[in-house]
Amino acid sequence: MKKIVSVMLILLSGINVYAQNTYVFFGSFNRDKNTEGIYVYELDIIKGNLSKVTSVKGILNPSFLTLAPNGQYLFACTESKTKDAGSVSSFKFNPEKKSLTFINSQRTGGENPVYITAHKNGKWLINGNYTEGSVSVYPVSENGLIEPRVQNFQYSEGSTDPDRQERSHIHSTVFSPDFNYVFAPDLGADKIRAYQFENNKTEPLTEIPFKQAPLGSGPRHFTFHPNGKFAYCVEEMGGAVSAYSYDSGKLESIQRINTHPDQLKDNFENSDIHISPDGRYLYASNRGSENNIAIFSIQNDGTLKTIGYQKTGGKHPRVFTLDETGKFLIATNSVSGDAFVFKRNEETGLLKKVGKKIKIFGVSSVQIRKY
């Protein structure tokens, strides 16, 4: 009898695992909040196809999305193109009902918020405002409600390119693996700004010394290696990835490597960067004339070695992401308005397009999660 019960439990356990669904969330430059702005799709983990589940209107230009650690809430940056009118918004996602419901919004104090990240405890959000060059901090209540911002760090200095770097442009806000620090690449000032984060304070961020990026490089997005010992920044203007060793809030440069073949001299427009969950490969997207994802293997000392390039199937791959298993990479092409699913070879790191493309006007951001 015990054997029968054990077999039944194993079978039921298998059914529960199999019943899990993988959902993909897309933001877009919809230009008009009366049209669809955020889309939810389900990913077929066998064939790689995406099937639309739901969408929401009433939000303008949700250019970047992030999920709460528990997956219950989706947070969006909404670019306004109007002074001081940018906002961050919260939605509740119900995987059983396959519904996405608006909760509330808060002003960011900037025109164009372009990045938002959540603390692992789900109680804090931090966003970067591009146009004005600022970093804002918000408490989040247990029901996903975003409270008014409690901190705003404003910067003004620029760098060497008068056209692109006339002033500060914060382009991302990223927690360290232990969530004790936050790093904010400043494209306009060629700095990676740094902060200590103290969860028990009402104003949790304290500025600490920044890391100088190469002049004219335009640091944009930032990520940490799963082992917590290395960090990487993709540089929009410089067409490169800078690698750093990392320890307790301090970055030390160890390498700078191009994301493109040596014969390409300009029009790089690098955008996003991610590392596979196994820590073996790094991916960085190139917009401009390339429209591809550069693939690197990560060496034991944290340095990178170029493996190859994968076309994203469209124009202007602004944001991409990997699922938690590392089996899939999904890329968004904002100018051509489409998204593609790629299967990742876990041994070689190379990518292969699977499934069918989906069309989303101005698709700008993507997040993926298993429920």
Side-chain angles (χ1 to χ4, degrees):
M1 185 66 182
K2 289 183 178 180
K3 289 184 177 180
I4 295 174
V5 172
S6 297
V7 170
M8 289 181 65
L9 288 173
I10 292 171
L11 289 173
L12 287 172
S13 175
I15 290 171
N16 289 334
V17 171
Y18 182 78
Q20 285 185 313
N21 296 323
T22 298
Y23 292 101
V24 184
F25 304 83
F26 293 100
S28 68
F29 290 111
N30 59 342
R31 314 297 181 194
D32 178 359
K33 67 180 183 180
N34 294 316
T35 62
E36 294 171 298
I38 297 176
Y39 303 75
V40 184
Y41 281 73
E42 187 172 346
L43 174 66
D44 178 342
I45 60 172
I46 303 301
K47 297 182 179 180
N49 287 321
L50 290 166
S51 303
K52 187 177 178 181
V53 170
T54 189
S55 63
V56 295
K57 299 179 181 180
I59 183 170
L60 180 68
N61 297 332
S63 65
F64 193 85
L65 308 176
T66 197
L67 285 161
N70 62 11
Q72 291 184 20
Y73 306 107
L74 180 74
F75 304 107
C77 288
T78 54
E79 295 193 39
S80 66
K81 312 296 182 185
T82 304
K83 187 176 181 180
D84 296 330
S87 62
V88 290
S89 299
S90 176
F91 296 82
K92 181 175 178 59
F93 180 63
N94 186 321
E96 295 179 358
K97 296 181 179 179
K98 298 184 178 181
S99 63
L100 192 63
T101 307
F102 175 74
I103 299 175
N104 81 316
S105 294
Q106 293 288 354
R107 292 290 179 89
T108 68
E111 177 179 331
N112 296 315
V114 292
Y115 199 99
I116 188 168
T117 189
H119 191 274
K120 65 178 179 179
N121 64 14
K123 296 180 180 180
W124 297 98
L125 289 176
I126 301 179
N127 94 275
N129 297 299
Y130 178 83
T131 303
E132 296 80 7
S134 64
V135 173
S136 301
V137 184
Y138 316 80
V140 181
S141 64
E142 290 183 1
N143 60 0
L145 190 80
I146 305 174
E147 305 290 347
R149 67 182 185 272
V150 295
Q151 287 182 284
N152 182 261
F153 294 82
Q154 180 70 62
Y155 305 100
S156 60
E157 71 269 33
S159 190
T160 58
D161 187 325
D163 295 325
R164 298 291 310 281
Q165 298 178 307
E166 77 291 352
R167 61 163 301 136
S168 171
H169 296 305
I170 301 295
H171 220 308
S172 56
T173 51
V174 179
F175 278 103
S176 60
D178 59 10
F179 287 84
N180 290 331
Y181 298 90
V182 173
F183 294 86
D186 187 335
L187 183 148
D190 286 326
K191 295 176 179 178
I192 301 176
R193 301 191 183 276
Y195 312 82
Q196 186 174 5
F197 186 91
E198 296 175 274
N199 175 60
N200 59 346
K201 291 188 174 182
T202 55
E203 295 185 354
L205 281 191
T206 301
E207 197 165 8
I208 60 176
F210 62 83
K211 178 65 178 178
Q212 180 67 55
L215 294 180
S217 64
R220 180 182 170 102
H221 281 188
F222 191 82
T223 192
F224 282 92
H225 193 280
N227 67 15
K229 297 178 180 179
F230 307 109
Y232 304 86
C233 186
V234 66
E235 299 161 357
E236 177 174 334
M237 298 167 59
V241 170
S242 281
Y244 302 91
S245 61
Y246 174 73
D247 182 44
S248 303
K250 296 180 180 179
L251 299 168
E252 296 294 337
S253 301
I254 56 176
Q255 184 193 28
R256 187 167 185 248
I257 185 171
N258 289 339
T259 62
H260 51 83
D262 291 340
Q263 60 266 30
L264 193 66
K265 303 300 181 183
D266 54 23
N267 195 26
F268 307 127
E269 294 190 51
N270 295 79
S271 52
D272 204 7
I273 186 168
H274 293 282
I275 294 175
S276 58
D278 60 15
R280 297 178 61 191
Y281 294 95
L282 181 144
Y283 302 84
S285 52
N286 297 299
R287 296 173 296 176
S289 60
E290 295 176 276
N291 296 306
N292 66 19
I293 293 176
I295 305 168
F296 303 90
S297 62
I298 303 175
Q299 312 306 299
N300 291 335
D301 63 357
T303 59
L304 304 176
K305 179 181 178 182
T306 304
I307 297 298
Y309 307 91
Q310 173 64 54
K311 289 287 186 181
T312 61
K315 295 181 179 179
H316 215 70
R318 185 174 187 268
V319 173
F320 67 94
T321 194
L322 284 85
D323 77 317
E324 62 191 56
T325 69
K327 293 180 180 179
F328 294 99
L329 182 150
I330 300 178
T332 65
N333 299 299
S334 60
V335 171
S336 54
D338 46 37
F340 291 87
V341 178
F342 296 88
K343 188 76 174 290
R344 194 179 75 89
N345 186 311
E346 296 180 42
E347 289 304 314
T348 66
L350 298 178
L351 304 171
K352 180 181 180 181
K353 186 169 72 70
V354 294
K356 300 177 181 179
K357 77 173 180 180
I358 60 169
K359 294 289 292 183
I360 297 177
F361 179 83
V363 62
S364 60
S365 183
V366 59
Q367 292 286 331
I368 182 170
R369 184 184 174 96
K370 184 185 291 185
Y371 289 83

